[in-house]
């Protein structure tokens, strides 16, 4: 996690230092660096099995803390899913960009900064949508099957 955060900060620093690198296609890479920092900074530190077991024991032993810890795990799961979905969406944008540039250069040449901004924004909006659905009642967040962290309750059939 520490190496990932440091490496992505270096990537962002390079884009800040060298203005010629700030192109529309490289905006995708900049956004991917932010998602990686989000996953590394939020997802990795909390995903330790020992921390989860401590919290589960704490939840069982101290019922007055249940709601507070439950809310914290819901927030953790939503943020982790958000950054993960944003990363997947941005990688999809990279794939579309490479396809259009290599296989369909007639279309790829017509891609503008606005086109890339729209695709990047769509990836972030998609991530917000899917991360927020369990918080509004479509499925739920719960401990994952391994019990190591909280994620979408994939076992819920309703």
């Amino acid at each position: 996690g520490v190496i990932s955060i440091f490496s992505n900060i270096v990537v962002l620093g390079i884009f800040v230092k060298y203005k010629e690198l700030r192109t529309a296609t490289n905006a995708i890479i900049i956004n991917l660096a932010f998602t990686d920092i989000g996953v590394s900074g939020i997802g990795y530190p909390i995903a330790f099995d020992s921390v989860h077991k401590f919290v589960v024991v704490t939840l069982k032993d101290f019922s007055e803390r249940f709601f507070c810890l439950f809310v914290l795990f819901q927030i953790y799961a939503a943020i982790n899913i958000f950054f993960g979905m944003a990363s997947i969406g941005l990688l999809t944008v990279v794939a579309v960009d490479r396809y259009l540039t290599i296989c369909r250069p007639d279309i790829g040449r017509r891609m503008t900064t606005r086109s890339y901004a729209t695709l990047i924004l769509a990836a972030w909006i998609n991530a917000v949508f899917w991360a927020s659905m369990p918080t509004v009642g479509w499925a739920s967040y719960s401990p994952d099957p391994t019990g190591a962290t909280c994620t979408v309750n994939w076992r819920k059939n309703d």
Side-chain angles (χ1 to χ4, degrees):
V2 172
I3 292 170
S4 177
I5 291 170
F6 175 75
S7 300
N8 283 291
I9 289 173
V10 168
V11 167
L12 293 175
I14 289 169
F15 281 108
V16 168
K17 184 174 181 179
Y18 300 103
K19 292 184 182 193
E20 63 270 10
L21 292 177
R22 291 186 226 154
T23 64
T25 55
N26 283 344
I28 306 166
I29 305 304
I30 293 168
N31 280 270
L32 273 170
F34 280 115
T35 63
D36 289 348
I37 289 169
V39 168
S40 299
I42 295 168
Y44 291 168
I46 299 176
F48 292 113
D49 191 45
S50 60
V51 172
H52 175 70
K53 287 178 182 172
F54 171 76
V55 170
V56 170
V57 169
T58 304
L59 289 176
K60 290 177 183 173
D61 293 343
F62 304 103
S63 60
E64 67 274 1
R65 293 186 186 179
F66 176 79
F67 183 73
C68 179
L69 291 173
F70 176 78
V71 170
L72 289 176
F73 265 98
Q74 296 292 307
I75 292 168
Y76 156 74
I79 290 171
N80 211 23
I81 292 293
F82 167 71
F83 281 119
M85 292 301 294
S87 184
I88 291 168
L90 290 165
L91 289 171
T92 303
V93 173
V94 169
V96 168
D97 172 59
R98 295 295 84 204
Y99 171 77
L100 294 176
T101 302
I102 295 166
C103 298
R104 300 293 307 268
D106 54 316
I107 298 171
R109 281 189 291 270
R110 291 184 291 185
M111 293 289 286
T112 63
T113 301
R114 187 175 186 170
S115 303
Y116 285 105
T118 302
L119 290 171
I120 291 168
L121 183 62
W124 286 104
I125 290 171
N126 183 58
V128 168
F129 175 78
W130 289 111
S132 65
M133 285 299 100
T135 61
V136 297
W138 191 15
S140 63
Y141 288 120
S142 66
D144 71 355
T146 66
T149 185
C150 283
T151 188
V152 175
N153 186 357
W154 300 111
R155 295 172 287 185
K156 191 173 180 181
N157 291 328
D158 62 356

